[in-house]
Amino acid sequence: MRLNIRILDKYIFREVFQSFLFAICAFSAVFIGSGTLFRIAQYITDYGASLPSIIKIFVFSLPGVVMWTFPMSMLLASLLTFGRLSSASEITAMKSCGIGFGRIAAPAILLGFLVSVGAILFNEHIVPRANTAYRNVIYYEIEGNSGMKSQEHLIIKEIEDGAIQRLVYARSYDAEQQRLTGVSLQVFGADGKVTYVENAEYAEWTGSEWIMHKGDVYEIADEHLERRMRFETQVLPIQKDPRQIISEQKKPEEMTMRELREQIALMQTQYVNTSKLETELYQRVSIPMASLIFTLIGVPLGLQPTRNSSSAGFAMSVIIIFIYYALMTMGNAFARGEVLPAMLAVWLPNIVGIIAGAVLLKRASQ
């Protein structure tokens, strides 16, 4: 009996996995056709983008597209697989052999969990790098920009032997004046703690170095302020010109979770609103986990002993996907508007999904 159960587990797991791969291809094709190809056409028309550049942006855009298809692909895979098994009376045959609902659903739920974990790792290690490469191709190869753009919230790090030596934060950079505004320099000791802080109203690039204006110097010992001095001008000890600084900056979607946490912590010390970054950070986990949640919803919807369960479940999946992404959009607005704590707002659609999945699983098991 145990051998038969293992064969059954492998059978269901394989069927769901094959449907999952099909769903990823189908949804990715929809996203690429409605978004990526349209942007590629614009780059060809507006900038005369070359074939190698077009191939690059197409390849680099794929990880971000595929990332969004994981949850809906698991939902569709669960519905298609269990809908087919139900319409072919295979579910009824399994139950007649004494196999319970939990045993039947287990392989799909296991796959949903594995996809969620894999999606978190994929979203952490692959997607940010692909987004950075995509931006560089657009900015440097296609648009052909050689000048620097003005930006907000810049972070400059100087690392030696794997340890951070200096960390500079600037609220904004004015490309026309080559000026950093709201500058804060932190110097770290051998123990990794801040020993020295400089704050300045602004810093200007002279062509060879950065000069800070109108600031304060703080010396710190044992996490307590020891001495404070004012200055009118002071050299900012970083060996990077404006081009190097701007090229190193990353957008939130190009950062890893560790980089996001570090930037949030730094910006909070400067009393800057970090709701956008916090939203991005929590979504790195909440969106991949939707794959498991959608599996919990899809399995009981597919496990219906009727001939029309597959078509009805597919129609329901469209509604579920729409509701989920509508809730996600609303949660993002709540998080960035500080209506709700960022973590709660971002996890709102998953909380609703867990409740819906629990209700459906309970009904299916009865």
Side-chain angles (χ1 to χ4, degrees), residues 325-364:
Y325 286 104
L327 286 173
M328 186 180 70
T329 302
M330 184 175 65
N332 286 349
F334 285 164
R336 299 188 182 191
E338 299 184 310
V339 177
L340 291 174
M343 179 178 289
L344 176 60
V346 167
W347 278 87
L348 179 63
N350 283 7
I351 294 171
V352 174
I354 291 173
I355 295 172
V359 172
L360 290 170
L361 286 171
K362 184 177 180 180
R363 289 182 178 178

Side-chain angles (χ1 to χ4, degrees), residues 71-358:
M72 58 183 72
S73 295
M74 275 308 307
L75 175 62
L76 183 58
S78 300
L79 288 167
L80 290 178
T81 301
F82 285 92
R84 183 185 63 78
L85 294 176
S86 179
S87 62
S89 300
E90 292 185 51
I91 297 296
T92 302
M94 294 176 196
K95 290 183 177 180
S96 66
C97 294
I99 303 174
F101 165 76
R103 227 37 211 90
I104 297 173
I109 295 175
L110 173 61
L111 179 60
F113 174 76
L114 295 176
V115 169
S116 291
V117 174
I120 292 174
L121 297 175
F122 184 79
N123 206 19
E124 173 70 1
H125 299 289
I126 304 299
V127 176
R129 295 179 182 180
N131 289 339
T132 299
Y134 179 90
R135 175 178 62 90
N136 289 337
V137 172
I138 296 297
Y139 189 75
Y140 295 109
E141 295 187 23
I142 295 181
E143 295 181 355
N145 292 316
S146 57
M148 297 294 101
K149 289 184 177 181
S150 297
Q151 292 190 23
E152 294 185 349
H153 306 304
L154 289 83
I155 292 179
I156 308 151
K157 297 179 182 179
E158 289 195 353
I159 299 175
E160 296 180 8
D161 299 326
I164 186 168
Q165 303 295 318
R166 296 186 183 92
L167 180 65
V168 178
Y169 168 78
R171 287 180 181 269
S172 62
Y173 170 70
D174 188 324
E176 185 175 343
Q177 298 182 359
Q178 291 192 317
R179 173 184 291 188
L180 296 169
T181 304
V183 181
S184 178
L185 165 68
Q186 297 179 7
V187 179
F188 295 82
D191 58 357
K193 296 182 179 180
V194 178
T195 60
Y196 183 85
V197 177
E198 291 185 18
N199 294 324
E201 291 186 10
Y202 63 94
E204 291 182 315
W205 176 249
T206 64
S208 60
E209 61 183 3
W210 291 96
I211 302 296
M212 296 188 292
H213 297 264
K214 299 179 180 180
D216 299 279
V217 176
Y218 303 88
E219 291 186 6
I220 301 172
D222 298 327
E223 300 183 357
H224 295 288
L225 177 64
E226 290 289 326
R227 185 169 54 176
R228 173 184 174 184
M229 296 179 291
R230 291 279 301 172
F231 65 83
E232 286 298 319
T233 60
Q234 180 106 334
V235 175
L236 181 62
I238 56 174
Q239 307 300 318
K240 296 179 180 179
D241 59 31
R243 182 181 301 277
Q244 290 174 308
I245 291 174
I246 296 302
S247 65
E248 291 178 358
Q249 302 309 306
K250 294 182 178 181
K251 295 181 179 180
E253 60 270 20
E254 298 169 5
M255 299 181 189
T256 63
M257 286 190 285
R258 178 180 178 180
E259 290 171 334
L260 284 168
R261 283 192 291 267
E262 290 176 350
Q263 183 149 339
I264 289 170
L266 178 59
M267 290 173 63
Q268 286 176 341
T269 64
Q270 304 298 315
Y271 305 101
V272 177
N273 188 310
T274 59
S275 58
K276 181 178 180 180
L277 289 176
E278 290 180 55
T279 301
E280 178 70 24
L281 174 62
Y282 297 133
Q283 279 189 332
R284 294 296 177 86
V285 177
S286 67
I287 293 177
M289 287 306 298
S291 298
L292 175 59
I293 294 170
F294 275 9
T295 305
L296 298 178
I297 294 174
V299 169
L301 284 178
L303 283 173
Q304 301 294 326
T306 62
R307 297 290 175 178
N308 298 323
S309 61
S310 181
S311 58
F314 184 84
M316 184 63 69
S317 71
V318 176
I319 298 174
I320 292 170
I321 292 171
F322 174 80
I323 293 174
Y324 179 86
Y325 286 104
L327 286 173
M328 186 180 70
T329 302
M330 184 175 65
N332 286 349
F334 285 164
R336 299 188 182 191
E338 299 184 310
V339 177
L340 291 174
M343 179 178 289
L344 176 60
V346 167
W347 278 87
L348 179 63
N350 283 7
I351 294 171
V352 174
I354 291 173
I355 295 172

Side-chain angles (χ1 to χ4, degrees), residues 26-40:
F27 284 121
S28 297
V30 172
F31 278 105
I32 291 171
S34 61
T36 305
L37 294 182
F38 177 75
R39 288 193 296 272
I40 287 176

